[in-house]
Amino acid sequence: MLKIFIGLVVAGLVIALVLENYNTAKHPKRSINNSNSNDRNHHGDIFYNTHPYPGAEMDNIFWFVQVSDIHISRFQDPRRITDFEEFCSETIDVIKPALVLATGDLTDAKTSSKLGSQQYEVEWQAYHNILKRSRVLERTKWIDIRGNHDAFNIISLESVNNYYRKYSATKKEGSFHYIHQTPFGSYSFICVDATLTPGPKRPFNFFGILDQTRMDELSILESKSLNSNQSIWFGHYTTSTIISPFPGIRQIMSSAVAYLCGHLHTLGGLMPVLHSRHPQGTLELELADWKDSRRFRVLAFDHDLLSFSDLSFEEWPAVLITNPKAAKYTNPAVEPLGRIQSSTHIRILAFSAAQITAVYVHIDGKLLGEARPVKGPLFTLKWDPMRYTKGLHNIEVKVEDAAGRSAVRHHEFTLENDVSLGFGFLQSFILLTDHYILARVTFVFLVLVNLGLIVTFRYLGPPALKDSSGFVSQARLSLHLFCKTNTLYYSSLLFTLCTAFGPWFIGEMIDGHSGACFAFGVFIEGHLHEGSLTFVVGVLQLVFFNIPLTCYLCWSMYLRCQGNCFRTHFRRAGRVQSLMVNVVMLALLLWQTYSCYFLLETYGTTACLLSPLRTWALVLGLLLIRYAWTCHPPRLRQFIKSSQPS
Ligand SMILES: *[C@@H]1O[C@H](CO)[C@@H](O)[C@H](O)[C@H]1NC(C)=O
Ligand SMILES: *[C@@H]1O[C@H](CO)[C@@H](O)[C@H](O)[C@H]1NC(C)=O
């Protein structure tokens, strides 16, 4: 599925470059009124620069952990499970987070061929046993939510194979609000549940959907969270892979300092870091997977300023600089950033399985000193922020532990209000685009072009014979031939209409529950999930089968009416060129055959047999190719004369 997604991303890039809506440096600024910056954020009660200020005490700070896309599998990579158990016992023991967010895809739920999907109780039992054996639930607040894999092939939440209900720690259905209470304030954690119910088998489970009811629920949670000092939203899907009604998921969460998610992994290794900022100011921080990369994230609220560090399993020491925080990851709309310039100490969280022996702090390449341990993982070093009031500065921290290991972490910080750093274009494109809209537009455009061309040429007067050389006139002539041959024209018209409006296949979208897949959505027992990935699949179908097939048939007809047949056309039309065209067509037919096999593996035999878009299209394609090479060849002269308007 990621491969299809990558394809979509590449296709969309072109359109995105034109739109240029990804300038993340332009984040919403609070209206700072010079020295007396007492303006409120939309929580209404936290000030930009008021007490308390970061200092030398272990106060106003807590930290938590995120892990995502664990994909416990009965078939793949058994170390994934043992490593995860070690993570729950040892890593969590070292870090001692206030809470842990496991943001979906707890289990893999894929069949051994990696194509099909179903819930395996053993995977859930493995997950459950890890939680039990490691006793992690006694040591921290463990919040685990469902991802798309945890919802594969589940007709309803009450279904017996919804093992999340039985084996997870949270067992909550739908979105929910957890408030972490501390002596220095309260912090909201809001879960966005966009998983599909009923949950079809893969792949048509890739996008999440929030309907109006779910959006209203989230709005209520949002308004309740405004009493908290800060709120974090989290979910499995990136906002770019969630379908939501107006005003959209990003607007609903605009009071959050950040949205934490997973789902895209590292896009097959292409994007190890996927972070961006919404136009509303909320940071969107996708986390690489546990599945293959063994990544996790430590986040901290220090005096209501959020900082985080993406880490790898068993790579100690882990370092998180909480003050001054990274300039790139500020959310000026909700964070009291003025506290950085009023702070008295640089603050660092350093974690390691062995004792930490030294924490060195450099600013702009110069050693500032060694930070002293305060309590737990907190280290502080006195500083004078007034020396750094202008521009960007680089802070670098080196941590050493008793096992002889060391780690270096650095970032840029600023004390100015209007310095803002943007995110990479590609990251922002992937996280901030509503990909389903892009796919819909592309699909509709391609269908219209396809239909428009064949219908136009059907009713267009024939071309003059004299200019029948040159590529364009040959193409025109061949389109005339194609469109005016009834068999080809009507088959092609029907096939395109079926791609656009007809059922693609009918079968068991969920085991024991039949459904049908259309471009515009997936029906399951009277329930419609509006189309998203279907449009991507539709675009691929058009680009890699429908359109090339039409072109090939046009080309064959053109050669045919010059008196060639399949055997002779190699000689007459240029050996290399003909060979190439046929090889390409053969490759596309093989791709279509693979699509049929994929359908068989993912949705079963019925779906494969009752599939106009896949199996039937393959048969139709072969029949049309055979027809084109064997039909009674229309004489070019006759064809042009006879179809000339009298
Ligand atoms: C800044 O403060 C002054 C007076 O204190 C006020 O007149 C002005 O409107 C304020 N500007 C902004 C942008 O809030
Ligand atoms: C959290 O909010 C309360 C109430 O507004 C405030 O008194 C407290 O200082 C805040 N906590 C932090 C760490 O800023």
Side-chain angles (χ1 to χ4, degrees):
M1 213 25 43
L2 282 171
K3 281 182 205 122
I4 292 184
F5 192 79
I6 293 165
L8 160 76
V9 165
V10 173
L13 261 176
V14 183
I15 302 173
L17 280 168
V18 181
L19 298 176
E20 219 278 281
N21 187 24
Y22 300 96
N23 189 356
T24 44
K26 270 192 315 203
H27 58 211
K29 293 191 184 87
R30 49 166 71 244
S31 49
I32 303 302
N33 213 344
N34 290 337
S35 53
N36 182 21
S37 37
N38 269 358
D39 61 319
R40 290 147 187 270
N41 68 5
H42 36 260
H43 289 192
D45 49 10
I46 302 170
F47 298 99
Y48 173 75
N49 185 5
T50 51
H51 278 289
Y53 302 123
E57 306 293 312
M58 177 66 161
D59 58 359
N60 299 307
I61 186 170
F62 76 96
W63 54 95
F64 54 103
V65 162
Q66 184 197 357
V67 59
S68 198
D69 298 87
I70 303 160
H71 288 258
I72 287 178
S73 167
R74 63 180 289 190
F75 301 111
Q76 318 293 332
D77 187 10
R79 286 220 47 192
R80 205 179 285 165
I81 301 178
T82 47
D83 283 353
F84 189 62
E85 180 157 1
E86 215 173 306
F87 173 80
C88 289
S89 47
E90 281 153 44
T91 308
I92 296 298
D93 208 37
V94 169
I95 296 178
K96 298 191 169 54
L99 57 135
V100 177
L101 306 172
T103 50
D105 285 359
L106 309 173
T107 62
D108 196 41
K110 281 206 216 172
T111 57
S112 57
S113 69
K114 294 195 196 182
L115 297 178
S117 51
Q118 84 178 71
Q119 296 298 320
Y120 294 107
E121 190 163 13
V122 285
E123 294 180 350
W124 284 96
Q125 282 165 340
Y127 175 72
H128 185 73
N129 289 340
I130 291 172
L131 297 188
K132 260 186 24 200
R133 274 201 303 267
S134 64
R135 306 182 139 210
V136 69
L137 304 186
E138 294 163 27
R139 286 180 289 141
T140 183
K141 172 80 187 171
W142 187 274
I143 301 180
D144 48 5
I145 60 169
R146 298 200 302 159
N148 56 322
H149 284 246
D150 307 316
F152 283 152
N153 198 23
I154 293 177
I155 186 72
S156 74
L157 295 172
E158 293 75 38
S159 159
V160 278
N161 59 355
N162 180 16
Y163 298 118
Y164 172 81
R165 274 190 135 195
K166 191 168 169 191
Y167 295 113
S168 73
T170 308
K171 301 189 174 76
K172 283 226 169 67
E173 267 135 34
S175 302
F176 60 88
H177 184 187
Y178 171 74
I179 301 175
H180 179 66
Q181 297 285 3
T182 66
F184 47 88
S186 54
Y187 297 84
S188 283
F189 291 85
I190 295 182
C191 161
V192 177
D193 181 15
T195 50
L196 304 187
T197 309
K201 291 187 254 184
R202 74 184 292 271
F204 293 115
N205 200 334
F206 187 74
F207 280 74
I209 298 182
L210 293 171
D211 57 16
Q212 194 58 53
T213 323
R214 282 175 166 195
M215 284 291 269
D216 295 343
E217 280 165 16
L218 284 171
S219 291
I220 293 169
L221 299 183
E222 193 266 351
S223 55
K224 286 187 182 149
S225 74
L226 294 182
N227 298 325
S228 297
N229 290 56
Q230 291 288 359
S231 30
I232 288 274
W233 286 47
F234 65 100
H236 175 66
Y237 299 90
T238 60
T239 57
S240 58
T241 49
I242 293 177
I243 304 178
S244 58
F246 184 81
I249 179 64
R250 296 189 191 95
Q251 186 59 40
I252 295 271
M253 64 169 70
S254 60
S255 63
V257 54
Y259 174 64
L260 313 177
C261 57
H263 190 47
L264 296 184
H265 301 231
T266 53
L267 276 185
L270 290 180
M271 301 297 297
V273 179
L274 270 176
H275 302 154
S276 193
R277 182 188 287 112
H278 298 171
Q280 292 85 351
T282 308
L283 295 163
E284 180 156 341
L285 307 172
E286 199 264 356
L287 175 60
D289 55 355
W290 178 267
K291 182 188 175 195
D292 296 321
S293 330
R294 302 287 195 276
R295 302 301 294 266
F296 67 101
R297 170 181 287 159
V298 177
L299 305 98
F301 273 120
D302 188 3
H303 292 77
D304 285 1
L305 297 163
L306 179 74
S307 44
F308 71 95
S309 205
D310 287 357
L311 303 166
S312 294
F313 176 57
E314 284 191 323
E315 276 181 18
W316 300 116
V319 189
L320 175 53
I321 307 166
T322 65
N323 185 60
K325 74 166 283 182
K328 195 171 182 182
Y329 296 101
T330 55
N331 182 347
V334 296
E335 283 184 300
L337 293 172
R339 285 178 178 173
I340 302 175
Q341 69 191 43
S342 304
S343 66
T344 57
H345 288 74
I346 290 169
R347 289 159 70 90
I348 296 140
L349 294 175
F351 307 93
S352 181
Q355 175 127 25
I356 304 280
T357 49
V359 177
Y360 299 103
V361 181
H362 296 76
I363 292 186
D364 296 332
K366 273 191 270 175
L367 180 68
L368 203 70
E370 202 176 319
R372 279 205 223 113
V374 180
K375 194 180 166 214
L378 183 68
F379 290 75
T380 63
L381 175 66
K382 195 162 173 52
W383 76 321
D384 177 15
M386 287 311 139
R387 290 172 56 192
Y388 310 102
T389 47
K390 286 271 163 296
L392 283 170
H393 300 274
N394 188 54
I395 181 167
E396 185 179 290
V397 171
K398 185 177 184 201
V399 174
E400 295 171 354
D401 72 6
R405 294 170 294 201
S406 70
V408 178
R409 202 95 195 171
H410 67 93
H411 64 231
E412 288 185 310
F413 70 94
T414 182
L415 303 182
E416 289 183 64
N417 303 312
D418 46 5
V419 175
S420 49
L421 302 169
F423 290 84
F425 171 77
L426 205 55
Q427 298 181 48
S428 299
F429 172 74
I430 293 165
L431 293 178
L432 305 183
T433 310
D434 289 324
H435 294 289
Y436 69 98
I437 295 182
L438 205 59
R440 279 178 201 184
V441 171
T442 315
F443 180 75
V444 170
F445 173 78
L446 284 177
V447 166
L448 288 180
V449 167
N450 205 347
L451 276 180
L453 263 183
I454 60 173
V455 173
T456 309
F457 274 87
R458 174 80 179 180
Y459 298 105
L460 208 63
L465 190 56
K466 58 180 185 307
D467 57 350
S468 67
S469 60
F471 179 75
V472 176
S473 27
Q474 280 181 13
R476 264 175 55 201
L477 191 59
S478 61
L479 260 167
H480 275 287
L481 282 164
F482 175 86
C483 294
K484 282 157 189 159
T485 309
N486 284 342
T487 314
L488 296 180
Y489 173 73
Y490 286 112
S491 315
S492 172
L493 188 68
L494 203 70
F495 183 35
T496 312
L497 287 175
C498 177
T499 307
F501 304 108
W504 287 359
F505 62 88
I506 297 167
E508 295 198 338
M509 301 302 297
I510 296 173
D511 284 338
H513 303 272
S514 53
C517 180
F518 295 80
F520 55 82
V522 175
F523 277 100
I524 305 163
E525 295 215 331
H527 197 289
L528 173 70
H529 289 312
E530 58 181 299
S532 43
L533 191 73
T534 48
F535 289 101
V536 181
V537 172
V539 168
L540 296 178
Q541 176 70 23
L542 285 165
V543 170
F544 291 109
F545 192 70
N546 296 27
I547 295 172
L549 179 67
T550 308
C551 294
Y552 182 81
L553 291 172
C554 287
W555 179 77
S556 321
M557 287 306 284
Y558 181 77
L559 291 177
R560 201 69 194 121
C561 74
Q562 287 179 329
N564 297 294
C565 69
F566 187 73
R567 244 174 297 124
T568 60
H569 86 278
F570 288 104
R571 236 173 301 140
R572 301 278 279 278
R575 198 182 295 267
V576 179
Q577 189 203 359
S578 297
L579 206 65
M580 289 249 293
V581 172
N582 282 295
V583 165
V584 169
M585 193 61 225
L586 187 68
L588 294 171
L589 283 168
L590 287 176
W591 186 79
Q592 180 75 10
T593 314
Y594 175 77
S595 301
C596 299
Y597 170 70
F598 184 80
L599 186 59
L600 179 74
E601 284 288 321
T602 50
Y603 293 100
T605 324
T606 323
C608 187
L609 292 178
L610 295 181
S611 172
L613 191 79
R614 298 295 195 211
T615 331
W616 299 5
L618 181 64
V619 175
L620 179 77
L622 291 172
L623 287 178
L624 288 182
I625 290 173
R626 190 186 131 85
Y627 174 85
W629 285 115
T630 54
C631 66
H632 185 65
R635 283 278 164 70
L636 202 49
R637 273 162 204 286
Q638 269 177 7
F639 160 76
I640 285 170
K641 247 187 219 148
S642 63
S643 54
Q644 216 139 35
S646 49

